[in-house]
Amino acid sequence: MLALSTVAMNENGHWNNDSVTLASNLLHGISTFEFLFTLEVVKNLMGYLRTLTVRILEKKTEISQVYTHVMTVKRTLRNVREMIDAKHGIYYQYALDVAVENDIPVKKPRVCTIQVNRENYDTDSISDYYKVSLTIPFLDNLIEPMN
């Protein structure tokens, strides 16, 4: 964020207008709680698939071992789904800490009466909003293709 901020401010005049505009746009995009939380969820949940990928790509891996690894990851992801409140709480707290440290406001997207491009979730808290709009659907979409 510091590098993008430096380019976006262009205090020394070293950067051309295109670079300054691009840096400003990127800085704005990554300076949202939605981005921070999405990054945290993806990092944690995709971490389970990383071990599977590494094992599958080993040269001497038998097909039966691949099946066993897939079943292990699937079982692990299902366990995460069963403990979604606790796991989501961990992800949310980490993103919250990063947001506070970087002075990023913690908010959920506003709810519209007529919504076309995304779901409107009627939730009481910001954490619940991100749980039902991001954490659960992302996890379910990881689990489903393994069935």
Side-chain angles (χ1 to χ4, degrees), residues 5-147:
S5 180
T6 301
V7 174
M9 286 193 243
N10 197 22
E11 291 174 352
N12 297 331
H14 294 318
W15 302 98
N16 64 31
N17 287 339
D18 289 341
S19 296
V20 171
T21 301
L22 181 59
S24 295
N25 290 339
L26 288 172
L27 184 61
H28 177 72
I30 67 170
S31 298
T32 64
F33 184 73
E34 187 172 9
F35 177 82
L36 289 177
F37 185 71
T38 301
L39 190 63
E40 182 63 18
V41 168
V42 170
K43 176 190 79 168
N44 280 281
L45 295 179
M46 293 302 283
Y48 295 109
L49 295 180
R50 184 181 184 282
T51 57
L52 174 63
T53 305
V54 168
R55 289 185 176 145
I56 287 174
L57 293 176
E58 291 174 351
K59 289 185 179 184
K60 295 184 179 183
T61 304
E62 298 288 329
I63 191 73
S64 62
Q65 292 174 320
V66 170
Y67 178 78
T68 301
H69 295 312
V70 168
M71 290 296 113
T72 301
V73 170
K74 184 175 160 183
R75 188 172 37 255
T76 301
L77 290 173
R78 282 187 177 156
N79 288 339
V80 169
R81 181 65 170 89
E82 289 172 7
M83 303 182 313
I84 195 64
D85 291 332
K87 289 293 189 177
H88 170 79
I90 293 167
Y91 307 153
Y92 183 79
Q93 187 59 52
Y94 183 82
L96 190 62
D97 292 345
V98 172
V100 168
E101 183 180 309
N102 291 287
D103 296 322
I104 296 172
V106 178
K107 59 184 181 179
K108 65 180 179 178
R110 64 187 178 91
V111 176
C112 300
T113 54
I114 298 174
Q115 187 60 271
V116 178
N117 296 321
R118 63 178 164 79
E119 296 288 333
N120 270 335
Y121 296 103
D122 186 25
T123 58
D124 294 330
S125 70
I126 297 170
S127 176
D128 287 345
Y129 172 81
Y130 284 107
K131 180 170 66 176
V132 299
S133 69
L134 180 73
T135 308
I136 291 173
F138 187 76
L139 181 57
D140 288 347
N141 283 314
L142 286 178
I143 295 169
E144 183 59 33
M146 293 185 190
N147 288 331

